[in-house]
Amino acid sequence: MSDLQVKAVLAGLFFGIWPLFMNKSGLQGNVSSLVFGLAATLGVMPFALQSIGFTLPSANWLMVVCAGVFGALGLLSFNGMLASAPAEKVGALFVTMIVVQIMVPAIYQIYMAGQLPMTKVAGFVLAIAAAFLLI
């Protein structure tokens, strides 16, 4: 397994774990988003400060702002769902979110390639079927 694949697996693991803890926190959606954002900022800060001068000047700030806005909207929506969902429904809602999240980069890949192969169509159908079966 390559270094990038290990990082992808770890990201999936950690992104899969933190919402389960947040659901049990007792915080309301918007407050939990703020607290999570602050905790994540504190956790990332020591690593980011090492290279901050190298990447900030050359960043595409329009893309940074767009990513931040979409990330904030996603975090507010997701934590709002976590705060309101009963514990027995969190898993099913999480699966729904992940299937949609998987489809977004797949659609982007199709757009970038300029074609829609039947394997991708089958993948979308199977992803939706998997979501229904897992829910």
Side-chain angles (χ1 to χ4, degrees), residues 60-75:
N60 181 339
W61 286 99
L62 176 60
M63 294 296 114
V64 171
V65 169
C66 288
V69 167
F70 284 115
L73 292 172
L75 188 61

Side-chain angles (χ1 to χ4, degrees), residues 2-13:
S2 76
D3 184 49
L4 294 177
Q5 289 170 320
V6 170
K7 287 180 180 179
V9 168
L10 289 173
L13 176 68

Side-chain angles (χ1 to χ4, degrees), residues 20 23 81-82 84-96 135:
L20 302 177
N23 174 254
M81 177 273 297
L82 284 176
S84 302
E88 65 273 3
K89 299 230 185 238
V90 169
L93 293 166
F94 204 164
V95 168
T96 302
I135 293 172

Side-chain angles (χ1 to χ4, degrees), residues 7-83:
K7 287 180 180 179
V9 168
L10 289 173
L13 176 68
F14 296 135
F15 282 141
I17 290 173
W18 79 258
L20 302 177
F21 283 97
M22 190 59 79
N23 174 254
K24 301 289 186 182
S25 73
L27 295 173
Q28 294 300 314
N30 295 340
V31 174
S32 68
S33 295
L34 176 64
V35 172
F36 175 79
L38 291 172
T41 298
L42 291 174
V44 168
M45 193 176 297
F47 303 100
L49 290 176
Q50 295 176 31
S51 61
I52 199 165
F54 300 111
T55 59
L56 284 179
S58 61
N60 181 339
W61 286 99
L62 176 60
M63 294 296 114
V64 171
V65 169
C66 288
V69 167
F70 284 115
L73 292 172
L75 188 61
L76 289 168
S77 299
F78 188 64
N79 279 341
M81 177 273 297
L82 284 176

